[in-house]
Structure formats: structure tokens, C-alpha cells
Amino acid sequence: MEIKNTNHNPAMNAELIAENKALKHLLNKVSGISVSDNGYDSADSQLFLPLSISSILMSDTPFHSRLESVLHLLGDFTNTSRVYIFENGPNDLFCRNTYEWCNNDVTPQIEHLQHVSYLDVPSWMPMLKSKGSIESSDIKNELPEDIVNMLIPQEIKSILVLPIISAQKITGFIGFDECKFQRKWSSIEKAILGTVSRLISNAYQQHNSIRQIRNSLQIQQFLFEVSTILNQKKTHEDPLVNISRKMVDCCNLSGVAIYELEAGAETSLKMAACATAGQLQINFPERIEVPYDMPSGIMNQTDIINALPKNMAFPDKSCLMAGIRSCNGIVGLLVMCWNGHLMPFPMDNAIIETITGMLAGHFEHKEAEKQNLLKHREIIKINKLLAEKEHFLNSLIRTAPIGIV
């Protein structure tokens, strides 16, 4: 029998060598392994890695440090090219690469994958939901074209992706890339890594629950401080300026402007206060005209911007406006800007509604004080006129002859 010489194909030899190394590495990592016709079957091997990862995820170290340690352990165990985690953005419209581990001589991709729109890979999420994973040993011939077009620039030949589920919803995924050869994922690898993805999902759910509790406490504290500023006695600083600064500092905003109704006007607003983050410059207009029927709370951004003069400086995609109305009509406008290219609006709608309600109360109280002051001055003026008349009459009485009196 003639044995063919394959030395003439170095690329094929390199792939075979890499595949053999990966198999040997897996055999060394899995203890107590037994080989049967059905493939690998070992209870010990299915417990070793999950127990180690569970121990890491339950430690007291920061959450990001735990995940980095988990990826390092997974990379060492599988000896794959890359191990990574993607997290979904708000509304699940895009995802970003938050954690990555790379093997030797493998190019990191995390910097290039900070905003991956699911619209660019429409097959990704449906496949992950329907099949529970994305698996391929030969991506060019086994995966849809949109996924292949995303993976080829990363030099990926084989891939295994498993979902991260929190609150019964896919919130991201953990993936394993093989860039050296076409790797067929064994049943034991898929079983172990499936268990690991569930452990990571549980860790994310616990972390998100703790973060929500902390955010809730921070929101309550923030609203309490805003209320305190509005209700405190007058100081040398305008309370609206303090509120603008606090919103920028606490709510991760680029800038905030608060407008109030001009005296005697129905739709003309003037800037009462503004604040921006750091050295950032936002040219908020000093005065604006708004529709007479402007609603309270968050408004349709397009409608309000179209109603403003064309020379206004409000950006279309990173500016949110909330009307401030009292029972008497328009009293002000709250304008909030943020870096819309990097993240969605960072504040909850309910918080904005609460703040605009507080500001409406503040403007009403301010207007009531103004009217009371005007009435007080009018009373003083009337009293002064009465006092002058009384003085004049008394002078006449004192100077008039007795008979005339």
C-alpha cells in the first residue's frame, strides 16, 4: 500500500498539528476519562470545571475580576483561540464585547466589537434562541452569510456560542473561537460549557439584582436631595443651578438646561439654569418658543424640535426634552443631553416625570411668592397714600380757624 506524502501542504500540516495539540490538551485536562463508542463519558470531568468556576463566581472579588478569572480558566481548559462574553445593550438592539481571553499568537478583537448591531447580523439572535447555541466546525459552509461575514475578518474557522440568560431573557452570550483549525466540538465539551454558561447566567442575574437594588437606593437619595434643594431657604446660589449640576453629576448626562416661562408670556421660555459635564461646551439657547399645547413630561422629540426655531442648538439624537406644566399651563422645559452615540438615555422615564413635577411645584411656588410680593407692595403703596391723605387732612384741621372747623 502506498502512503501519500502530505509534506507538500504546510497549511494542512499546521492545522493537523494544532488539532492534535488541542485533543491532547483536552485529554490531559479531563481526569478519569473513559472512551466508548458514544464518545467521552466521565462524571468527574463534567464536575471538575463547573465546580472550579462556581467557586470563582461565589467569591468576594469584584464581579469583573471573577469573570476575567472564569474566562482564563475556560481558555486554559479548552485551549481554544478566544473566549469572550458579549452583553446586550438596552432594548437588545446591539451588543458589545465586555470580556475577552486570547490564547498565544491570537489577535484580540475586543476593541473592534464595542457596538455590534443585531441588524447587521439578523440570523444571530434567532439561531441562538431557536437552537440554544451557535455551533460550527466550518463556518464558511455551515453558517448563514451574514454571520460568516462578521466572523471571517476575525480569522475564525470554528465557533461555539452559548446564551447568557437573566430573568428568562437572553441578555448576552459566551463564545469560543477556534482560529487555528476546523474544530469539531466534542459532546463532553458542549456539556461542560453548557453547564458553565448556566453558572455565568446565574451570576449575572444575581449581580443585576444587586445593582438594581443599589440603583433604586441611589435614585431615592437623588430625588430626596433634589427635593431638599428646592425646599431649602434661599441662599446665594440658585436652587435650579444646583439641581442642574446634580443631574449632570449623578445621572451621567452631558448637559442639563432648565427653562422657565418669561413674565407675561404664554409660550416664550428663558433659560433659568444650565450645567455641563467637565469642560464640555453645549450652546443652549438663551430663549426658545414652544408650542402652546406642549404637554408635561417627556415629549416626542421630533415634534418639539420641529416646533423650535431652526437656529436652535439642540441635537436631534442625543437630546431629550420634558415639558413642565402646572394647572395654569406651561411653566418651563427641562432639556437633557447625553452621549447618544455611546449609550442610550441613562435616566428612567419615571424619574424625569418626578423631577418635572417637582420643578412645576417650584415654579408655581415662585410665581405665588412673586404675586404675593406684588400684592404686598400694592398694599404698602395704598397704605402710604392713605397715610399721606390722613396727614394732609390732619394738617388742614390743625391750621383751619375754629369757626371753619
Side-chain angles (χ1 to χ4, degrees), residues 182-243:
Q182 292 181 350
R183 179 171 186 162
K184 184 171 177 62
W185 306 97
S186 67
S187 58
I188 190 170
E189 284 180 303
K190 290 187 286 186
I192 294 173
L193 298 179
T195 302
V196 168
S197 72
R198 289 189 288 273
L199 290 174
I200 294 176
S201 295
N202 292 337
Y204 263 101
Q205 184 160 331
Q206 183 181 23
H207 176 70
N208 291 338
S209 297
I210 294 173
R211 186 169 56 184
Q212 287 174 3
I213 293 172
R214 287 176 179 169
N215 288 344
S216 178
L217 294 174
Q218 290 173 354
I219 289 169
Q220 291 179 28
Q221 179 66 24
F222 167 73
L223 293 177
F224 173 76
E225 291 175 358
V226 170
S227 177
T228 301
I229 291 171
L230 290 174
N231 293 322
Q232 67 186 2
K233 293 181 179 179
K234 289 185 177 180
T235 63
H236 65 283
E237 283 195 285
D238 189 333
L240 297 181
V241 173
N242 289 336
I243 290 174

Side-chain angles (χ1 to χ4, degrees), residues 2 11 16 22 24 59 84 128 172 174 180 208 243 271 274 312 330 343 361 369 372 395 400:
E2 181 181 0
L16 290 173
K24 289 179 180 178
S59 65
Y84 48 84
L128 197 59
I174 180 170
K180 302 295 184 183
N208 291 338
I243 290 174
M271 185 192 296
C274 71
M312 295 295 99
I330 301 169
M343 61 180 182
E369 283 188 334
N372 289 337
S395 297

Side-chain angles (χ1 to χ4, degrees), residues 180-402:
K180 302 295 184 183
F181 61 94
Q182 292 181 350
R183 179 171 186 162
K184 184 171 177 62
W185 306 97
S186 67
S187 58
I188 190 170
E189 284 180 303
K190 290 187 286 186
I192 294 173
L193 298 179
T195 302
V196 168
S197 72
R198 289 189 288 273
L199 290 174
I200 294 176
S201 295
N202 292 337
Y204 263 101
Q205 184 160 331
Q206 183 181 23
H207 176 70
N208 291 338
S209 297
I210 294 173
R211 186 169 56 184
Q212 287 174 3
I213 293 172
R214 287 176 179 169
N215 288 344
S216 178
L217 294 174
Q218 290 173 354
I219 289 169
Q220 291 179 28
Q221 179 66 24
F222 167 73
L223 293 177
F224 173 76
E225 291 175 358
V226 170
S227 177
T228 301
I229 291 171
L230 290 174
N231 293 322
Q232 67 186 2
K233 293 181 179 179
K234 289 185 177 180
T235 63
H236 65 283
E237 283 195 285
D238 189 333
L240 297 181
V241 173
N242 289 336
I243 290 174
S244 300
R245 291 175 184 164
K246 186 162 287 294
M247 289 184 68
V248 168
D249 295 339
C250 298
C251 303
N252 201 23
L253 296 171
S254 301
V256 170
I258 300 175
Y259 291 84
E260 64 179 334
L261 191 66
E262 286 199 272
E266 292 185 340
T267 59
S268 297
L269 304 178
K270 65 177 181 178
M271 185 192 296
C274 71
T276 57
Q279 302 299 319
L280 188 65
Q281 295 293 327
I282 299 178
N283 296 320
F284 291 112
E286 291 292 330
R287 284 176 169 78
I288 57 175
E289 291 285 336
V290 296
Y292 181 77
D293 58 349
M294 181 185 75
S296 62
I298 298 172
M299 296 174 292
N300 184 305
Q301 188 174 324
T302 304
D303 291 347
I304 184 67
I305 289 177
N306 289 340
L308 296 174
K310 297 303 180 183
N311 62 344
M312 295 295 99
F314 298 133
D316 290 345
K317 294 184 179 180
S318 57
C319 178
L320 189 141
M321 302 180 185
I324 306 171
R325 291 183 69 96
S326 69
C327 56
N328 297 321
I330 301 169
V331 292
L333 180 70
L334 176 62
V335 181
M336 296 151 285
C337 296
W338 76 103
N339 194 333
H341 299 290
L342 298 180
M343 61 180 182
F345 186 67
M347 292 180 67
D348 186 76
N349 291 357
I351 301 174
I352 299 172
E353 298 283 353
T354 303
I355 293 174
T356 54
M358 290 181 179
L359 291 173
H362 172 76
F363 286 136
E364 281 187 319
H365 180 71
K366 186 177 177 180
E367 181 63 23
E369 283 188 334
K370 182 180 177 181
Q371 294 300 324
N372 289 337
L373 180 61
L374 291 174
K375 290 178 181 178
H376 180 68
R377 288 175 178 173
E378 188 68 24
I379 291 172
I380 291 175
K381 184 178 179 181
I382 292 172
N383 287 338
K384 185 178 179 180
L385 290 173
L386 290 175
E388 289 175 352
K389 289 181 180 180
E390 184 180 0
H391 178 74
F392 175 74
L393 290 174
N394 287 335
S395 297
L396 286 177
I397 292 173
R398 284 195 301 268
T399 56
I402 295 175

